[in-house]
């Protein structure tokens, strides 16, 4: 049987590839601008757009970046009272908080009560730094800590004001929110301002395409001026003289100084807009907090007995330590030094180690509360052991403070000793809050964060430098201290001599 030739015949379509498949795919494919030379857009990815509010935020951050470099970093002398540093910080904070508040209101974001509390916290810190820069010889021993706290709290406030905190308010995810405010938002959206400005320029260019007659007008005006100069010698001399004068004009030094400050402020502004613009472009997600809590509940895998054994081992070690070193540890409460120790050696030895043990105990409490299969408050054994750990924390904090008190009573106050005493107080307050949360559930992490910030603000507003001077002067008069340092005061107190200086300073405390 002879095969029929197939040459010249059309191939029948395959069942898996219909004839009109190409047409169907062509209909489904989204059109794109081939003339622009751009690749076709990815399906599901919306084109970048920016609102006028975001454009206003970009303009604000350009100004803030220039001002931060020009007046806060390069030209602020915090060592001389009232010179730039004080008023510059006040102006920057007013522009930052006021500008962000206006942007949030324009975007329809309502302000919660907590956002006003964080704004008040930042405002009081800024007011304290400003007041010290005008009243005293320098900005005080807590200046660096206050400035760091002000920067961190301001960034955290932006997320709080935008309603982007993980649970809508400060809570167990406060550390995560702080990381987002200080690192993830600013650096993750560092070039967002460039995209917003470029979008605005392109949008403005499209609007100006219908006004090309302005360019034509400029061309014809220039041509007419050249023709008039050729027709009249007097007009020609006048035009040449005007151009010569324009060539002789040199830009002043202040222009170049501010120009380079503007250039150096570009990264600062990009960081700020990464935070502010990112917060404006993101929609609050109220369900993220409960979702993270459900994911955290899935981590409960540690057996209750193992954690009870670990906590019992720690408590047995602490009990043994107190039994063997009772006279050494409790000597500070009685005001006596152990044999072979000086006051400085007794205070320094073991202080930071005891504070580190308190922090370690807090970590153990977190593990017991979040990783056990059975919740801590439902387990009598874990509950009792956790309360014992809180009691040990209080005892460690009290011992640390007694060491410092013995040292201060003999050698006076210094900024480091004030900070160490404050830190021991903070550990004690947090231990009390932890114990209360075990007995009765409440938002302990939120209370702890607010307590920490409140105690730090109280420390700053109490003017520790004045307290240091007052305590040291009393010890100097009692003959305990041999010399007194008054170097941080305003020059009007330093320039007075002898008894007059003492009366001026003492009169300040009496007021």
């Amino acid at each position: 049987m002879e095969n029929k030739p197939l040459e010249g015949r059309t191939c029948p379509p395959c069942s898996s590839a219909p004839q009109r498949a190409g047409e169907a795919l062509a209909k489904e494919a989204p059109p794109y601008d081939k003339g622009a030379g751009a690749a076709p857009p990815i399906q599901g990815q919306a084109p970048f757009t920016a609102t006028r509010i975001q454009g206003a935020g970009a303009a604000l951050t350009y100004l803030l970046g220039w001002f931060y470099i020009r007046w806060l970093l390069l030209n602020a002398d915090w060592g001389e009272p009232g010179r730039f540093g004080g008023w510059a910080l006040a102006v920057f904070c007013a522009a930052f908080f006021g500008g962000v508040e206006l942007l949030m209101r324009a975007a329809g974001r309502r302000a919660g009560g907590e956002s006003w509390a964080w704004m008040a916290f930042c405002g009081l810190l800024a007011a304290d730094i400003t007041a010290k820069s005008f009243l005293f010889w320098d900005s005080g021993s807590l200046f660096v800590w206050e400035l760091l706290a002000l920067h961190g709290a301001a960034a955290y406030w932006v997320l709080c004001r935008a309603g982007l905190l993980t649970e809508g308010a400060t809570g167990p995810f406060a550390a995560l929110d702080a990381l987002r405010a200080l690192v993830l938002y600013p650096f993750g959206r560092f070039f967002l301002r460039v995209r917003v400005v470029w979008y605005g320029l392109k949008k403005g260019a499209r609007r100006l395409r219908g006004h090309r007659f302005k360019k034509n007008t400029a061309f014809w005006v220039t041509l007419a001026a050249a023709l008039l100069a050729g027709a009249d010698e007097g007009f020609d001399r006048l035009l040449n003289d005007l151009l010569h004068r324009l060539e002789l004009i040199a830009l002043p030094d202040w222009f170049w100084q501010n120009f380079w400050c503007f250039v150096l402020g570009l990264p600062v502004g990009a960081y700020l807009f990464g935070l502010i613009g990112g917060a404006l472009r993101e929609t609050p997600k109220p369900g993220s907090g409960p979702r993270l809590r459900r994911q955290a509940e899935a981590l409960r895998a540690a057996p209750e007995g193992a954690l009870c054994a670990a906590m019992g081992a720690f408590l047995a070690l602490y009990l043994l330590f107190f039994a063997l070193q009772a006279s050494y540890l409790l000597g500070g409460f009685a005001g006596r030094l152990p044999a072979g120790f000086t006051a400085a050696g007794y205070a320094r030895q073991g202080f930071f180690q005891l504070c580190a043990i308190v922090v370690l105990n807090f970590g153990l409490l977190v593990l017991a509360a979040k990783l056990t299969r059975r919740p801590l408050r439902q387990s009598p054994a874990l509950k009792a052991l956790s309360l014992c750990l809180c009691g040990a924390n209080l005892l460690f904090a009290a011992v640390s403070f007694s060491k410092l008190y013995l040292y201060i009573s003999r050698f006076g106050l210094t900024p480091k000793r004030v900070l160490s005493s404050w830190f021991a107080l903070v550990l004690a307050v947090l231990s009390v809050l932890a114990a209360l949360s075990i007995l009765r559930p409440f938002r302990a992490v939120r209370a702890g964060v607010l307590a920490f910030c409140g105690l730090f603000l109280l420390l700053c507003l109490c003017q520790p430098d004045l307290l240091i001077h007052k305590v040291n002067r009393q010890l100097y008069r009692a003959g305990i201290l041999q010399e007194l340092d008054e170097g941080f005061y305003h020059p009007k107190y330093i320039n007075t001599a002898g008894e007059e200086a003492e009366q001026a300073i003492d009169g300040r405390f009496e007021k």
Side-chain angles (χ1 to χ4, degrees), residues 247-303:
E247 291 177 356
L248 295 178
I249 295 178
L251 295 176
D253 293 337
W254 63 265
F255 172 83
W256 290 110
Q257 183 181 14
N258 286 281
F259 173 76
W260 290 116
C261 288
F262 177 82
V263 173
L264 293 175
L266 291 178
V268 178
Y271 178 90
L272 292 175
F273 189 75
L275 173 62
I276 301 171
L280 287 171
R281 293 179 66 87
E282 186 169 342
T283 305
K285 301 176 182 178
S288 59
R291 177 176 56 83
L292 289 177
R293 282 184 176 270
R294 289 192 299 268
Q295 293 177 356
E297 288 296 323
L299 299 177
R300 292 185 175 273

Side-chain angles (χ1 to χ4, degrees), residues 356-381:
I357 288 176
V358 175
V359 176
L360 178 64
N361 289 341
F362 279 124
L364 193 60
L365 288 173
V366 171
L367 292 178
K370 301 300 180 182
L371 296 184
T372 53
R373 297 172 183 171
R374 188 180 181 186
L376 186 147
R377 297 183 183 90
Q378 299 179 9
S379 172

Side-chain angles (χ1 to χ4, degrees), residues 183-503:
V183 179
L184 300 182
Y185 269 78
F187 291 108
R189 298 163 174 82
F190 194 77
F191 297 101
L192 176 61
R193 186 173 63 173
V194 177
R195 300 185 67 187
V196 170
V197 172
W198 181 247
Y199 174 81
L201 292 177
K202 290 195 300 182
K203 190 175 181 180
R206 286 195 297 267
R207 291 180 178 178
L208 292 177
R209 287 176 183 174
H211 302 282
R212 294 180 179 178
F213 67 91
K214 295 182 179 180
K215 298 180 181 179
N216 298 331
T217 302
F219 170 76
W220 291 113
V221 168
T222 305
L223 180 61
L227 293 175
L228 289 175
D232 183 61
E233 295 182 358
F235 185 77
D236 184 31
R237 288 194 299 269
L238 178 64
L239 188 60
N240 290 331
D241 183 65
L242 178 61
L243 294 176
H244 181 67
R245 290 178 179 274
L246 291 176
E247 291 177 356
L248 295 178
I249 295 178
L251 295 176
D253 293 337
W254 63 265
F255 172 83
W256 290 110
Q257 183 181 14
N258 286 281
F259 173 76
W260 290 116
C261 288
F262 177 82
V263 173
L264 293 175
L266 291 178
V268 178
Y271 178 90
L272 292 175
F273 189 75
L275 173 62
I276 301 171
L280 287 171
R281 293 179 66 87
E282 186 169 342
T283 305
K285 301 176 182 178
S288 59
R291 177 176 56 83
L292 289 177
R293 282 184 176 270
R294 289 192 299 268
Q295 293 177 356
E297 288 296 323
L299 299 177
R300 292 185 175 273
E304 179 182 346
L307 276 176
C308 287
M311 296 173 71
F314 274 93
L315 290 173
L317 178 63
Y318 298 155
L319 184 61
L320 179 62
F321 178 74
F322 278 115
L324 296 178
Q325 300 291 331
S327 60
Y328 166 78
L329 295 174
L330 302 179
F333 294 102
R336 66 176 185 272
L337 288 172
F341 282 90
T342 63
Y346 178 69
R348 294 172 182 171
Q349 183 175 353
F351 174 81
F352 295 103
Q353 288 81 355
L354 292 177
C355 293
I357 288 176
V358 175
V359 176
L360 178 64
N361 289 341
F362 279 124
L364 193 60
L365 288 173
V366 171
L367 292 178
K370 301 300 180 182
L371 296 184
T372 53
R373 297 172 183 171
R374 188 180 181 186
L376 186 147
R377 297 183 183 90
Q378 299 179 9
S379 172
L382 279 178
K383 190 174 181 180
L385 291 172
S386 300
L387 289 174
C388 291
L389 274 181
C390 293
N393 282 354
L394 287 173
L395 187 56
F396 283 130
V399 169
S400 301
F401 185 79
S402 68
K403 286 171 168 281
L404 281 174
Y405 178 77
L406 184 61
Y407 191 24
I408 291 169
S409 64
R410 301 193 179 194
F411 294 97
L413 281 174
T414 63
K416 290 184 179 179
R417 293 167 198 167
V418 171
L419 276 176
S420 300
S421 303
W422 172 83
F423 186 64
L425 176 62
V426 169
L427 292 179
V429 171
L430 294 181
S431 299
V432 171
L433 290 176
L436 292 177
S437 68
I438 294 172
L439 296 175
R440 184 176 181 181
F442 66 94
R443 304 183 72 176
V445 177
R446 176 184 175 87
V449 172
L450 297 180
F452 181 87
C453 295
L455 289 174
F456 180 78
L457 183 61
L458 182 63
L459 173 67
C460 297
L461 297 181
C462 284
Q463 307 304 328
D465 292 313
L466 294 178
L467 177 64
I468 290 170
H469 178 80
K470 184 175 182 179
V471 172
N472 291 347
R473 177 165 288 275
Q474 293 176 354
L475 295 175
Y476 178 75
R477 289 174 177 174
I480 298 176
L481 297 181
Q482 301 300 322
E483 57 183 13
L484 187 64
D485 183 16
E486 300 172 359
F488 66 89
Y489 277 94
H490 194 282
K492 67 181 180 181
Y493 294 119
I494 295 176
N495 293 335
T496 53
E499 190 67 25
E500 185 179 357
E502 184 175 344
Q503 292 177 0

